[in-house]
Amino acid sequence: MDKKKIIFLLGATGIGKTTIALSLAKKINAEIISCDSMQIYRKMNILTAKATAKQRKKSRHHLLSILEPTVEYNVAQYRRDALKICAKLDSQGKIPLFVGGTGLYYSVIVDGLFPVLPQAKRIRERLEKLLRSKKSGYLYKKLVKVDPQAAGKIHPHDGRRIVRALEVYLQTGKPISFWQKKRKGLGNEYEVKLLGLNLKRELLYKRIDLRVEKMFRLGLIKEVQKLLKLNLSKTAACAIGIPELKGYFNQEYNLDEAKRLLQRNSRHYAKRQLTWLRKDKRVKWININNADTATAIAQRIYKLLN
RNA sequence: GGGUAGGUACCCAAGUGGCCAAAGGGGACAGACUGUAAAUCUGUUGCACCUGUGCUUCAGAGGUUCGAAUCCUCUCCUGCCCA
């Protein structure tokens, strides 16, 4: 029996995933599931270059604007939410089409996530306090003792990962490296297709710069101003554009500088996204150039899938 | 025209006789990533072999010295002040 299909349309920010996905979804009887840690939030429309209301009418989008930006969220919840939607689409005979650029989010769908209980808040808080107050190597040394394997993979400066590894150890009594082996992906159930959109670096960077300009024209400043009045979740608070404009509102620098930073940080982000995707050898690359229309690209992908 | 401060790698900038292919920052490039991931973290960045050595660099030309980005002379360029 044929396996069910599941498709991931991935690529750096600004490459044009949204419109291509729209065009593709129609052709293959798919519904779109956002694979983006920031687009999950409401009130961040311009900032995250979300599909417009009009676009969303053309094809159903899931996991887009489902949360207030004040609410904490994480990969595990994402996985749960996304798999639920997959199951629903399966029952309707529709293909799940994941679209986005958050590497961790797609990998957690494709390759699974190790099962650990919800975060232990108190342990986490204690560790974070220690991270801030103690000397830099302190927690790392502790980790080396309890989980040399994980410590070998984590850089001594990478505070966040050190904290998480220790948290899991303290919470479960077993090292994170033990849990990490217990991962179960979708491979048995689905025929998984990973597609990566690729555009020449210079062109991509130019597109990103232009897109940032456009965000400003669309009213980015007002949007962020409103967001800053809220008590943003830790994730939402670091969406590219928020810290940059905050600096402007606090009069640390002028608007041109804020724009420059926003563009630069978006480029850096795109680079990291590409690094992630390049590492994943399963990704099938779709090379595009500026002249290609979204429909043309969607057509190419369609052929590739059949 | 007179005075004065300067010209350092892709950019900004430290260095004022040997420990200097030259701090630091930015940018660029490369990488890691399993519950904050648009986050967090790492490496490279004069050239050539390849983790040590060789070669070419600190505006230009000459000089002093065992040894110069650093001292001297002249030239060119830039900022500022006075004319």
Coordinates of all heavy atoms in Angstrom, one line a residue, chain A residues 118-193:
Chain A
P118 N 6.7 17.8 30.9 CA 6.7 19.3 30.7 C 7.8 19.9 31.5 O 8.2 19.3 32.5 CB 5.3 19.7 31.2 CG 4.5 18.5 31.2 CD 5.3 17.3 31.2
Q119 N 8.3 21.0 31.1 CA 9.4 21.7 31.8 C 9.1 21.8 33.3 O 8.1 22.1 33.8 CB 9.5 23.1 31.3 CG 10.2 23.1 30.0 CD 10.2 24.5 29.4 OE1 10.5 25.5 30.1 NE2 9.7 24.7 28.2
A120 N 10.2 21.5 34.0 CA 10.2 21.7 35.5 C 10.5 23.1 35.8 O 11.7 23.5 35.7 CB 11.1 20.7 36.1
K121 N 9.6 23.9 36.1 CA 9.8 25.4 36.2 C 10.8 25.7 37.2 O 11.7 26.6 37.0 CB 8.5 26.1 36.5 CG 8.2 27.2 35.5 CD 7.0 28.0 35.9 CE 6.8 29.1 34.9 NZ 5.4 29.7 35.0
R122 N 10.7 25.1 38.4 CA 11.6 25.5 39.5 C 13.0 25.1 39.2 O 13.9 25.9 39.4 CB 11.1 24.8 40.8 CG 10.6 25.9 41.8 CD 10.1 25.3 43.1 NE 9.0 24.4 42.8 CZ 8.8 23.3 43.5 NH1 9.6 23.0 44.5 NH2 7.7 22.6 43.3
I123 N 13.2 23.9 38.6 CA 14.6 23.5 38.3 C 15.2 24.5 37.3 O 16.3 25.0 37.4 CB 14.5 22.1 37.7 CG1 14.0 21.1 38.7 CG2 15.9 21.7 37.2 CD1 13.9 19.7 38.2
R124 N 14.4 24.8 36.3 CA 14.8 25.7 35.2 C 15.2 27.1 35.8 O 16.3 27.6 35.5 CB 13.7 25.8 34.2 CG 13.8 27.0 33.2 CD 15.0 26.9 32.3 NE 14.9 25.7 31.4 CZ 14.8 25.9 30.1 NH1 14.7 27.0 29.6 NH2 14.7 24.8 29.4
E125 N 14.3 27.6 36.7 CA 14.6 28.9 37.2 C 15.9 28.9 38.1 O 16.7 29.8 38.0 CB 13.5 29.4 38.1 CG 12.4 30.1 37.2 CD 11.1 30.2 38.0 OE1 11.1 30.0 39.2 OE2 10.1 30.5 37.3
R126 N 16.1 27.8 38.8 CA 17.3 27.7 39.6 C 18.5 27.7 38.7 O 19.5 28.3 39.0 CB 17.2 26.5 40.5 CG 17.9 26.6 41.8 CD 17.8 25.4 42.7 NE 18.6 24.3 42.1 CZ 18.2 23.0 42.1 NH1 17.0 22.7 42.5 NH2 18.9 22.1 41.5
L127 N 18.5 26.9 37.7 CA 19.6 26.8 36.8 C 19.9 28.1 36.1 O 21.1 28.5 36.0 CB 19.3 25.7 35.7 CG 19.4 24.3 36.2 CD1 18.8 23.3 35.1 CD2 20.8 23.9 36.6
E128 N 18.9 28.8 35.7 CA 19.1 30.1 35.1 C 19.7 31.1 36.0 O 20.6 31.9 35.6 CB 17.8 30.6 34.4 CG 17.7 30.0 33.0 CD 16.3 30.2 32.4 OE1 15.4 30.8 33.0 OE2 16.2 29.8 31.2
K129 N 19.3 31.0 37.2 CA 19.9 31.9 38.2 C 21.4 31.6 38.4 O 22.3 32.4 38.4 CB 19.2 31.8 39.6 CG 19.3 33.0 40.4 CD 18.6 32.9 41.7 CE 17.1 33.3 41.6 NZ 16.4 32.9 42.8
L130 N 21.7 30.3 38.4 CA 23.1 29.9 38.6 C 23.9 30.3 37.4 O 25.0 30.7 37.5 CB 23.2 28.3 38.7 CG 22.8 27.8 40.1 CD1 22.7 26.3 40.0 CD2 23.8 28.2 41.1
L131 N 23.3 30.2 36.2 CA 24.0 30.5 35.0 C 24.4 32.0 35.0 O 25.5 32.4 34.6 CB 23.1 30.3 33.8 CG 23.7 30.6 32.4 CD1 24.8 29.6 32.1 CD2 22.7 30.7 31.3
R132 N 23.5 32.8 35.6 CA 23.8 34.2 35.6 C 24.8 34.6 36.7 O 25.7 35.4 36.5 CB 22.6 35.1 35.8 CG 21.8 35.3 34.5 CD 20.7 36.3 34.7 NE 19.7 35.8 35.8 CZ 18.6 35.1 35.6 NH1 18.3 34.9 34.4 NH2 17.9 34.7 36.6
S133 N 24.7 33.9 37.9 CA 25.5 34.3 39.0 C 26.9 33.7 39.1 O 27.8 34.3 39.5 CB 24.7 34.1 40.3 OG 24.5 32.7 40.4
K134 N 27.0 32.4 38.7 CA 28.2 31.8 38.8 C 29.2 32.1 37.6 O 28.8 32.6 36.6 CB 28.0 30.2 38.9 CG 27.2 29.8 40.1 CD 28.1 29.7 41.3 CE 27.3 29.1 42.5 NZ 28.0 28.9 43.6
K135 N 30.4 31.7 37.8 CA 31.4 31.8 36.7 C 31.0 31.0 35.5 O 30.2 30.0 35.6 CB 32.8 31.4 37.2 CG 33.4 32.5 38.1 CD 34.9 32.3 37.9 CE 35.7 33.0 39.1 NZ 36.1 32.0 40.1
S136 N 31.5 31.4 34.4 CA 31.0 30.8 33.1 C 31.1 29.3 33.0 O 30.2 28.7 32.5 CB 31.7 31.5 32.0 OG 33.0 31.2 31.9
G137 N 32.2 28.8 33.6 CA 32.3 27.3 33.4 C 31.6 26.5 34.4 O 31.6 25.2 34.3
Y138 N 31.0 27.1 35.4 CA 30.4 26.4 36.5 C 29.4 25.3 36.1 O 29.6 24.1 36.4 CB 29.8 27.3 37.5 CG 29.1 26.7 38.7 CD1 29.8 26.2 39.8 CD2 27.7 26.6 38.7 CE1 29.2 25.6 40.8 CE2 27.1 26.0 39.8 CZ 27.8 25.5 40.9 OH 27.2 24.9 41.9
L139 N 28.4 25.7 35.4 CA 27.3 24.7 35.0 C 27.9 23.7 34.0 O 27.5 22.5 34.1 CB 26.1 25.5 34.4 CG 25.2 26.2 35.4 CD1 24.0 26.8 34.7 CD2 24.7 25.2 36.5
Y140 N 28.7 24.2 33.2 CA 29.3 23.2 32.2 C 30.0 22.1 32.9 O 29.9 21.0 32.5 CB 30.2 24.0 31.2 CG 30.7 23.1 30.1 CD1 29.8 22.8 29.1 CD2 32.0 22.7 30.0 CE1 30.2 21.9 28.0 CE2 32.4 21.9 29.0 CZ 31.5 21.5 28.0 OH 31.9 20.7 26.9
K141 N 30.8 22.4 33.9 CA 31.5 21.4 34.6 C 30.6 20.4 35.3 O 30.8 19.2 35.3 CB 32.4 22.0 35.7 CG 33.7 22.5 35.2 CD 34.6 23.1 36.3 CE 35.6 24.1 35.7 NZ 35.7 25.3 36.5
K142 N 29.5 20.9 35.8 CA 28.5 20.0 36.3 C 27.9 19.1 35.3 O 27.8 17.9 35.5 CB 27.3 20.8 36.9 CG 27.6 21.5 38.2 CD 26.4 21.5 39.0 CE 26.7 22.1 40.4 NZ 27.1 21.2 41.4
L143 N 27.7 19.6 34.1 CA 27.2 18.8 33.0 C 28.2 17.8 32.6 O 27.8 16.6 32.3 CB 26.8 19.7 31.8 CG 26.2 19.0 30.6 CD1 24.9 18.3 31.0 CD2 26.0 19.9 29.4
V144 N 29.5 18.1 32.5 CA 30.5 17.2 32.1 C 30.4 16.0 33.1 O 30.6 14.8 32.7 CB 31.9 17.8 32.2 CG1 33.0 16.8 32.0 CG2 32.0 18.9 31.1
K145 N 30.2 16.2 34.3 CA 30.1 15.2 35.3 C 28.9 14.2 35.1 O 29.1 13.0 35.1 CB 30.0 15.7 36.7 CG 31.3 15.5 37.5 CD 31.2 16.1 38.9 CE 32.4 17.1 39.1 NZ 32.1 18.1 40.1
V146 N 27.7 14.8 34.9 CA 26.6 13.9 34.8 C 26.3 13.4 33.4 O 25.6 12.4 33.3 CB 25.3 14.7 35.4 CG1 25.5 15.1 36.8 CG2 24.9 15.8 34.5
D147 N 26.7 14.1 32.4 CA 26.4 13.7 31.1 C 27.6 14.1 30.1 O 27.4 15.0 29.3 CB 25.1 14.4 30.6 CG 24.6 13.8 29.3 OD1 25.3 13.0 28.7 OD2 23.5 14.2 28.9
P148 N 28.7 13.4 30.2 CA 29.8 13.7 29.4 C 29.5 13.7 27.9 O 30.0 14.5 27.1 CB 30.9 12.7 29.7 CG 30.2 11.6 30.6 CD 28.9 12.2 31.1
Q149 N 28.6 12.8 27.5 CA 28.3 12.7 26.1 C 27.6 14.0 25.6 O 28.0 14.5 24.6 CB 27.3 11.6 25.9 CG 27.4 11.0 24.5 CD 26.4 9.8 24.3 OE1 26.0 9.2 25.3 NE2 26.0 9.6 23.1
A150 N 26.6 14.5 26.3 CA 26.0 15.7 25.9 C 27.0 16.9 26.0 O 27.0 17.7 25.1 CB 24.8 16.0 26.8
A151 N 27.8 16.9 27.1 CA 28.7 18.0 27.2 C 29.7 18.1 26.1 O 30.1 19.1 25.6 CB 29.5 17.8 28.5
G152 N 30.0 16.9 25.5 CA 30.9 16.9 24.4 C 30.4 17.6 23.2 O 31.1 18.1 22.3
K153 N 29.1 17.6 23.1 CA 28.4 18.2 21.9 C 28.1 19.7 22.1 O 27.8 20.4 21.2 CB 27.1 17.4 21.6 CG 27.3 16.2 20.8 CD 26.0 15.4 20.6 CE 25.0 16.2 19.7 NZ 23.7 15.4 19.6
I154 N 28.1 20.1 23.4 CA 27.7 21.5 23.7 C 28.9 22.3 24.0 O 29.8 21.9 24.7 CB 26.7 21.5 24.9 CG1 25.4 20.7 24.6 CG2 26.3 22.9 25.2 CD1 24.5 20.5 25.8
H155 N 28.9 23.5 23.4 CA 30.0 24.4 23.7 C 29.9 24.9 25.1 O 28.8 25.3 25.5 CB 30.1 25.5 22.6 CG 31.3 26.3 22.8 ND1 32.4 26.1 22.0 CD2 31.7 27.3 23.6 CE1 33.4 26.9 22.3 NE2 32.9 27.7 23.3
P156 N 31.0 25.0 25.8 CA 31.0 25.6 27.2 C 30.3 26.9 27.3 O 29.9 27.3 28.4 CB 32.5 25.6 27.6 CG 33.2 24.7 26.7 CD 32.4 24.6 25.4
H157 N 30.3 27.7 26.3 CA 29.7 29.0 26.3 C 28.2 29.0 26.0 O 27.5 30.0 26.2 CB 30.3 30.0 25.3 CG 31.7 30.3 25.6 ND1 32.5 30.9 24.7 CD2 32.5 30.0 26.7 CE1 33.7 31.0 25.3 NE2 33.7 30.5 26.5
D158 N 27.7 27.9 25.6 CA 26.3 27.8 25.1 C 25.4 27.6 26.3 O 24.8 26.5 26.5 CB 26.1 26.7 24.1 CG 24.9 26.9 23.2 OD1 24.0 27.7 23.7 OD2 24.8 26.3 22.2
G159 N 25.2 28.7 27.1 CA 24.4 28.6 28.3 C 23.1 28.0 28.2 O 22.6 27.2 29.0
R160 N 22.4 28.3 27.1 CA 21.0 27.8 27.0 C 21.0 26.3 26.9 O 20.1 25.7 27.5 CB 20.4 28.5 25.8 CG 18.9 28.7 26.0 CD 18.3 29.3 24.8 NE 18.3 30.8 25.1 CZ 17.5 31.6 24.3 NH1 16.8 31.1 23.4 NH2 17.4 32.8 24.6
R161 N 21.9 25.7 26.1 CA 21.8 24.3 26.0 C 22.3 23.6 27.2 O 21.9 22.5 27.5 CB 22.7 23.9 24.8 CG 22.0 24.2 23.5 CD 22.5 23.4 22.3 NE 21.6 23.8 21.2 CZ 21.7 25.0 20.6 NH1 22.8 25.7 20.8 NH2 20.9 25.3 19.7
I162 N 23.3 24.2 27.9 CA 23.8 23.6 29.1 C 22.6 23.5 30.1 O 22.4 22.5 30.8 CB 24.9 24.4 29.7 CG1 26.1 24.4 28.7 CG2 25.4 23.9 31.1 CD1 27.2 25.4 29.0
V163 N 21.9 24.6 30.3 CA 20.8 24.7 31.2 C 19.7 23.6 30.8 O 19.3 22.8 31.7 CB 20.1 26.1 31.2 CG1 18.8 26.0 31.9 CG2 21.0 27.1 31.9
R164 N 19.4 23.5 29.6 CA 18.4 22.5 29.2 C 18.9 21.1 29.5 O 18.2 20.3 30.0 CB 18.1 22.6 27.7 CG 17.4 21.5 27.1 CD 15.9 21.7 26.9 NE 15.1 21.2 28.0 CZ 14.2 20.1 27.9 NH1 14.1 19.5 26.8 NH2 13.5 19.8 28.9
A165 N 20.1 20.8 29.2 CA 20.7 19.4 29.4 C 20.6 19.1 30.9 O 20.2 18.0 31.3 CB 22.1 19.3 28.9
L166 N 21.0 20.1 31.7 CA 21.0 19.8 33.2 C 19.5 19.7 33.7 O 19.2 18.9 34.6 CB 21.7 21.0 33.9 CG 23.2 20.9 33.8 CD1 23.8 22.2 34.4 CD2 23.8 19.7 34.6
E167 N 18.7 20.5 33.1 CA 17.3 20.5 33.5 C 16.7 19.1 33.3 O 16.1 18.5 34.2 CB 16.5 21.5 32.7 CG 15.0 21.5 33.0 CD 14.2 22.3 32.0 OE1 14.6 22.3 30.8 OE2 13.2 22.9 32.3
V168 N 17.0 18.5 32.1 CA 16.4 17.2 31.8 C 17.0 16.2 32.8 O 16.3 15.3 33.3 CB 16.7 16.8 30.4 CG1 16.5 15.4 30.1 CG2 15.9 17.7 29.4
Y169 N 18.3 16.3 33.0 CA 18.9 15.4 34.0 C 18.3 15.4 35.4 O 18.0 14.4 35.9 CB 20.5 15.6 34.0 CG 21.1 14.8 35.1 CD1 21.4 13.4 34.8 CD2 21.5 15.3 36.3 CE1 21.9 12.6 35.8 CE2 22.1 14.5 37.3 CZ 22.3 13.2 37.0 OH 22.9 12.4 38.0
L170 N 18.2 16.6 35.9 CA 17.7 16.8 37.2 C 16.3 16.4 37.3 O 15.8 15.9 38.3 CB 17.9 18.3 37.7 CG 19.3 18.7 37.8 CD1 19.3 20.2 38.1 CD2 20.0 17.9 39.0
Q171 N 15.5 16.5 36.2 CA 14.1 16.2 36.3 C 13.9 14.7 36.2 O 12.9 14.2 36.8 CB 13.5 17.0 35.1 CG 12.0 17.0 35.1 CD 11.4 17.4 33.8 OE1 10.2 17.4 33.6 NE2 12.2 18.0 32.9
T172 N 14.7 14.0 35.4 CA 14.3 12.7 35.1 C 15.3 11.7 35.7 O 15.1 10.5 35.7 CB 14.4 12.4 33.5 OG1 15.7 12.6 33.1 CG2 13.4 13.4 32.8
G173 N 16.5 12.2 36.1 CA 17.5 11.3 36.7 C 18.3 10.6 35.6 O 19.2 9.9 35.8
K174 N 18.0 10.9 34.3 CA 18.7 10.3 33.2 C 19.2 11.5 32.4 O 18.6 12.5 32.2 CB 17.8 9.4 32.4 CG 17.4 8.2 33.1 CD 17.2 7.0 32.2 CE 17.0 5.7 32.8 NZ 15.6 5.4 33.2
P175 N 20.4 11.3 31.8 CA 21.0 12.4 31.0 C 20.2 12.6 29.7 O 19.6 11.7 29.2 CB 22.4 11.9 30.7 CG 22.4 10.4 30.9 CD 21.3 10.2 31.9
I176 N 20.3 13.8 29.2 CA 19.6 14.2 28.0 C 20.1 13.4 26.8 O 19.3 13.0 25.9 CB 19.7 15.7 27.7 CG1 18.7 16.2 26.7 CG2 21.1 16.1 27.3 CD1 18.6 17.7 26.5
S177 N 21.4 13.0 26.9 CA 21.9 12.2 25.7 C 21.2 10.9 25.7 O 21.1 10.3 24.6 CB 23.4 12.1 25.9 OG 23.8 11.5 27.1
F178 N 20.7 10.4 26.8 CA 20.0 9.1 26.8 C 18.6 9.3 26.1 O 18.2 8.5 25.3 CB 19.8 8.7 28.3 CG 18.7 7.6 28.4 CD1 19.0 6.3 28.2 CD2 17.4 8.0 28.8 CE1 18.0 5.3 28.4 CE2 16.5 7.0 29.0 CZ 16.8 5.7 28.8
W179 N 18.0 10.4 26.5 CA 16.6 10.6 25.9 C 16.7 10.9 24.4 O 15.8 10.6 23.7 CB 16.0 11.8 26.6 CG 15.6 11.6 28.1 CD1 16.3 12.1 29.2 CD2 14.6 10.7 28.5 NE1 15.7 11.6 30.3 CE2 14.6 10.8 30.0 CE3 13.6 9.9 27.9 CZ2 13.8 10.0 30.7 CZ3 12.7 9.2 28.7 CH2 12.8 9.3 30.1
Q180 N 17.8 11.6 24.1 CA 17.8 12.1 22.7 C 17.9 10.9 21.7 O 17.5 11.1 20.5 CB 19.1 13.0 22.5 CG 18.8 14.3 23.1 CD 20.0 15.2 23.0 OE1 21.1 14.8 22.8 NE2 19.8 16.5 23.1
K181 N 18.2 9.7 22.2 CA 18.2 8.6 21.3 C 16.8 8.1 21.0 O 16.6 7.3 20.1 CB 19.1 7.5 21.9 CG 20.6 7.8 21.8 CD 21.4 6.9 22.6 CE 22.8 7.5 22.8 NZ 23.3 7.1 24.1
K182 N 15.9 8.4 21.9 CA 14.5 7.9 21.8 C 13.7 8.9 21.0 O 12.8 9.5 21.5 CB 13.9 7.8 23.2 CG 14.8 7.1 24.2 CD 14.0 6.4 25.2 CE 14.9 5.4 26.0 NZ 14.5 4.0 25.7
R183 N 14.0 8.9 19.8 CA 13.3 9.8 18.9 C 12.6 9.0 17.9 O 13.2 8.1 17.3 CB 14.3 10.7 18.3 CG 14.0 12.1 18.1 CD 15.2 12.8 17.5 NE 14.7 14.0 17.0 CZ 15.4 14.9 16.3 NH1 16.6 14.7 16.0 NH2 14.8 16.0 15.9
K184 N 11.3 9.3 17.6 CA 10.7 8.6 16.5 C 10.0 9.5 15.5 O 9.3 10.4 15.8 CB 9.6 7.7 17.2 CG 9.3 6.5 16.3 CD 8.3 5.5 17.1 CE 7.0 5.4 16.2 NZ 5.8 5.7 17.0
G185 N 10.4 9.3 14.3 CA 10.0 10.2 13.2 C 8.8 9.7 12.5 O 8.1 8.7 12.9
L186 N 8.5 10.3 11.4 CA 7.3 10.0 10.6 C 7.6 9.0 9.5 O 6.7 8.6 8.8 CB 6.8 11.3 9.9 CG 6.3 12.4 10.7 CD1 6.0 13.6 9.8 CD2 5.0 11.9 11.4
G187 N 8.8 8.6 9.3 CA 9.3 7.9 8.1 C 8.4 6.6 7.9 O 8.2 6.3 6.7
N188 N 8.0 5.9 8.9 CA 7.2 4.7 8.6 C 5.8 4.9 8.1 O 5.3 4.1 7.3 CB 7.1 3.9 9.9 CG 8.5 3.5 10.4 OD1 9.4 3.3 9.6 ND2 8.7 3.4 11.7
E189 N 5.3 6.0 8.6 CA 3.9 6.3 8.2 C 3.7 7.0 6.9 O 2.8 6.8 6.2 CB 3.3 7.2 9.3 CG 2.5 6.6 10.3 CD 2.1 7.7 11.3 OE1 3.0 8.0 12.2 OE2 1.0 8.2 11.2
Y190 N 4.7 7.9 6.7 CA 4.5 8.8 5.5 C 5.7 8.7 4.6 O 6.8 8.3 4.9 CB 4.5 10.2 6.0 CG 3.3 10.7 6.7 CD1 3.2 10.6 8.1 CD2 2.2 11.2 6.0 CE1 2.1 11.0 8.8 CE2 1.1 11.7 6.7 CZ 1.0 11.6 8.1 OH -0.1 12.0 8.7
E191 N 5.4 9.1 3.4 CA 6.4 9.4 2.4 C 6.8 10.8 2.6 O 6.0 11.7 2.2 CB 5.9 9.1 1.0 CG 6.9 9.3 -0.1 CD 6.3 9.2 -1.5 OE1 5.2 8.7 -1.6 OE2 7.0 9.7 -2.4
V192 N 7.9 11.1 3.1 CA 8.3 12.5 3.5 C 9.1 13.1 2.4 O 10.1 12.6 1.9 CB 9.1 12.5 4.8 CG1 9.5 13.9 5.2 CG2 8.4 11.8 5.9
K193 N 8.6 14.3 2.0 CA 9.3 15.1 1.0 C 9.8 16.4 1.5 O 9.0 17.2 2.0 CB 8.4 15.4 -0.2 CG 7.9 14.2 -0.9 CD 8.8 13.8 -2.1 CE 8.2 12.7 -2.9 NZ 9.2 12.0 -3.7

